[in-house]
Amino acid sequence: MNIQYVPAKDYQQIHRLRDYCFPNKYSGARRDDFHYWIEHSATLGAYDGDKVVGQLLILPLNMTIHGENYEMGGIGFVATYPEYRQQGIIKKLMTASLEEMRQHGQTISVLAPFSVSFYRYFGWELFFDKLHYAIPNSQFPHFGKQLDVVKRMSFEWPDSTLFEAIQQFHNAQASVTNGGMLRDAAWWKRIERRSPESHFAACFLEQKIVGYIRYTIQDGIFTIHDFIVEDHLAEQALWRFITSHAASVHTIEGITAKDSHFGFNFENPQFPKKIIQDVMVRIVDAFAFMQRYPWGDLQQTLYVRLEDHFCPWNEHIYMINKDGEISIIEENSMCEKHMLTLPINLFSAMMVGYLSVKDAVTFANKELGDEEIHHWQQAIPAKRPAFYEYF
């Protein structure tokens, strides 16, 4: 079985494999969107002779971690034909993808798993708890009457000036949001192709955009796809806009972070909610990642030994000095008693702020003194990640 880049002459095979292995067949704009990403991603194929029997796309994306924006490989459309399963094809594709991402400077990777345990085996780990909510009309929030400045547009009836302001605002917020992804023109085009019925509403204060939502309305359900605000006043203004649709919608649906204190917006927040864990993260190149990492309070030199069965270049002991400088060192008795030892999946979840150091050590079934745990925790910025993109 040969793993290689898929040439243009075989792109139709990628379409056929995706359509066979996924529940919905793409057509129209969605098919056009998928073809764009076949062309602009690292598209890897597993070949049996001239036939593509397995595939994986690495989308060239980015991710902000504690204020530092990293090149990120978005793993998507992983598939193989059923008659070729149980032959290690996906394992070969996943291993090749890690080497590919490292070579192209994508030090971190994100994917949406069909099975958490499957991708955890390859070093990815959960890192965001989404809260899905469905608010019935009787429990819509009330923030009083106020004349807010809200401007509206849609993909069908665009306003180029407003759309440009929304895009700039989105990226400004993403750059300071732990887990945020900067959206370029290609990604906005992808959103338009996949959700052409989207509407936008942007809130302004003194001619400056302070928040926006992207939403759809269908069958009496107001679905919020993006809800990005600068502050709580902008959030209240957009909720007033949303609830102004009360005469024509019976439910508001959306997602937010589980730890966002969402219920404080509502007099009666006891409406249906569901926690979904559907995104995983992985550090691909630990040395390169830590070199750029925005360390917090480095009170003393730190040591970490990483375990990574699929990226041998990560399996080292790393020393982080008080200036945040990273070195790969040999094992010695001096550092051993201060050593944090973690598998790459737990290290990844810890470094992006999802797991505390104590939890990472506990889940790894390792031992580390309370003082060392404290020093590590001080060195890692505290804000938890939130990741709302999908691929």
Side-chain angles (χ1 to χ4, degrees):
M1 196 66 60
N2 181 38
I3 307 296
Q4 65 176 65
Y5 284 119
V6 176
K9 67 181 181 64
D10 291 336
Y11 284 170
Q12 292 308 312
Q13 290 201 57
I14 298 297
H15 282 283
R16 287 198 295 269
L17 179 52
R18 197 227 71 87
D19 287 345
Y20 185 90
C21 293
F22 288 81
N24 55 331
K25 186 175 181 178
Y26 282 169
S27 61
R30 283 213 165 199
R31 191 181 189 281
D32 293 341
D33 174 69
F34 181 53
H35 194 84
Y36 174 90
W37 292 103
I38 293 173
E39 293 178 322
H40 291 83
S41 301
T43 301
L44 302 180
Y47 279 79
D48 183 2
D50 294 331
K51 182 180 180 182
V52 179
V53 300
Q55 68 181 38
L56 177 153
L57 271 63
I58 308 170
L59 281 67
L61 303 174
N62 67 87
M63 186 176 179
T64 301
I65 303 297
H66 301 305
E68 180 73 21
N69 193 259
Y70 288 87
E71 296 298 307
M72 181 264 282
I75 302 293
F77 305 102
V78 182
T80 186
Y81 285 119
E83 64 270 27
Y84 284 91
R85 291 171 189 164
Q86 308 302 320
Q87 297 181 34
I89 293 173
I90 297 300
K91 183 176 182 179
K92 291 178 181 178
L93 284 166
M94 295 302 296
T95 302
S97 77
L98 290 164
E99 295 170 351
E100 177 72 18
M101 286 187 285
R102 186 196 184 204
Q103 290 175 11
H104 286 84
Q106 294 165 320
T107 55
I108 195 164
S109 176
V110 171
L111 55 78
F114 75 90
S115 165
V116 169
S117 61
F118 180 84
Y119 286 107
R120 184 176 280 155
Y121 170 74
F122 292 106
W124 276 261
E125 189 51 81
L126 297 168
F127 78 105
F128 178 42
D129 299 331
K130 289 180 184 176
L131 185 74
H132 286 234
Y133 56 84
I135 311 169
N137 188 292
S138 60
Q139 292 172 270
F140 283 3
H142 299 283
F143 289 111
K145 295 181 179 181
Q146 185 170 319
L147 187 60
D148 302 304
V149 179
V150 176
K151 298 180 181 181
R152 188 173 52 83
M153 59 155 276
S154 67
F155 283 131
E156 184 179 8
W157 301 102
D159 178 328
S160 59
T161 301
L162 178 57
F163 192 36
E164 182 179 352
I166 288 171
Q167 293 176 76
Q168 291 176 353
F169 177 79
H170 180 97
N171 283 352
Q173 293 302 307
S175 68
V176 295
T177 299
N178 190 30
M181 194 180 100
L182 305 180
R183 292 177 178 172
D184 60 12
W187 200 252
W188 281 110
K189 191 64 179 178
R190 182 177 201 258
I191 291 171
E192 181 179 358
R193 291 191 187 107
R194 295 173 69 88
S195 184
E197 68 281 9
S198 289
H199 298 268
F200 294 82
C203 177
F204 285 77
L205 179 64
E206 297 180 353
Q207 299 184 334
K208 175 180 174 290
I209 186 170
V210 291
Y212 86 93
I213 58 171
R214 179 173 62 90
Y215 62 97
T216 54
I217 302 174
Q218 187 173 8
D219 299 327
I221 300 174
F222 190 110
T223 302
I224 303 168
H225 301 284
D226 290 331
F227 199 134
I228 313 293
V229 293
E230 189 173 87
D231 55 34
H232 191 57
L233 291 177
E235 184 177 2
Q236 291 181 347
L238 286 171
W239 276 115
R240 279 191 287 268
F241 173 82
I242 294 166
T243 56
S244 70
H245 295 74
S248 57
V249 303
H250 56 74
T251 306
I252 299 169
E253 293 184 350
I255 58 174
T256 188
K258 187 190 76 171
D259 57 348
S260 64
H261 304 298
F262 184 67
F264 281 79
N265 279 319
F266 305 91
E267 295 175 0
N268 181 10
Q270 294 173 310
F271 42 78
K273 306 180 191 71
K274 180 170 62 174
I275 295 173
I276 302 293
Q277 297 173 303
D278 63 356
V279 285
M280 302 180 78
V281 70
R282 190 200 207 283
I283 293 173
V284 175
D285 188 330
F287 185 76
F289 178 85
M290 286 192 284
Q291 279 185 311
R292 294 178 53 200
Y293 190 75
W295 297 97
D297 184 9
L298 284 164
Q299 299 177 348
Q300 69 173 34
T301 299
L302 302 175
Y303 301 93
V304 59
R305 177 194 288 115
L306 294 183
E307 302 167 350
D308 193 340
H309 302 309
F310 290 94
C311 297
W313 56 82
N314 285 337
E315 289 206 313
H316 296 289
I317 295 173
Y318 301 87
M319 181 179 75
I320 305 100
N321 69 19
K322 292 181 180 180
D323 295 322
E325 297 171 343
I326 314 299
S327 304
I328 294 175
I329 65 170
E330 298 296 326
E331 188 168 357
N332 60 66
S333 58
M334 180 75 171
C335 68
E336 182 62 32
K337 63 180 180 179
H338 302 294
M339 184 79 68
L340 169 65
T341 301
L342 289 176
I344 193 66
N345 64 313
L346 295 177
F347 182 72
S348 301
M350 181 187 80
M351 293 298 282
V352 301
Y354 180 70
L355 287 180
S356 70
V357 180
K358 184 175 182 179
D359 285 342
V361 170
T362 300
F363 291 137
N365 197 26
K366 305 290 185 181
E367 293 185 3
L368 190 66
D370 289 343
E371 185 177 355
E372 295 302 320
I373 289 176
H374 171 74
H375 289 313
W376 266 99
Q377 197 63 69
Q378 292 296 109
I380 297 174
K383 194 169 184 180
R384 287 171 66 86
F387 188 86
Y388 295 103
E389 306 292 352
Y390 185 79
F391 43 87

